[in-house]
Amino acid sequence: VGWHDSVANTVNIQINDGTVDSVSFSAGGRDGTAGFAIGTNGSAAAVFMDGRIAQVLIWKRALSAEEKTYLYNGGNGRLWLPGTRTASGLRQSIALSDNLRGYWLLNEASGTRSDISGQGNNLTDNNTVTGATGPSSILPLASQFTSANSESLSIADNASLSMGAGVRMSVQAWVYIDAKPTNATLTILSKWATGVGLASIYTHACTDIRTPA
């Protein structure tokens, strides 16, 4: 999970419900006109992904620690539908619908990836992103990205996905990197424009996943 807290002025990331890595960031969000993409940074010097991604969600708010633990579910992920009441995690499943702007299971074999958040942000398949095995029996399917084929999923900029100054936001995703790159970065997701944007990137220099400030 990665998030920007415009009240605390921090950019944060947490892997596998572990220790939160946080840095100060007071510049605020930049609301560019570029679209949202999974598997590429969308810039002129495009950087793509080699690996699998499943269950990507975006909120215009910061998630609570309880919500992040609920979604992680011991590494198995958590399948829930916005606005539904489930026997397990009743309070969390309802709260997670609050300010939800995009929810993509990425369980399709190919083609358009459906947004089940209710916002209508269905993703276009660029260069045939295929289906693959997901993280668990709860989330059995994922999307497989291959950088050599310039594969990505994307949607044009719109009001529900715009992240301007003073906007709190959170992103959650399951990610499996096929192999550590030796001299490159791999983009997980982005909303990028004119050299600035929001992205989670795996980088060989630090061997980590990060949200750049």
Side-chain angles (χ1 to χ4, degrees), residues 66-88:
E66 181 183 36
E67 287 172 325
K68 287 177 281 185
T69 297
Y70 175 76
L71 287 168
Y72 180 63
N73 193 24
N76 294 308
R78 179 82 64 178
L79 180 62
W80 62 278
L81 299 177
T84 59
R85 297 173 178 269
T86 61
S88 173

Side-chain angles (χ1 to χ4, degrees), residues 31-36 155-163 191:
D31 188 13
T33 59
F36 170 78
I155 184 172
D157 181 45
N158 64 69
S160 65
L161 293 175
S162 290
M163 303 291 173
K191 191 175 187 304

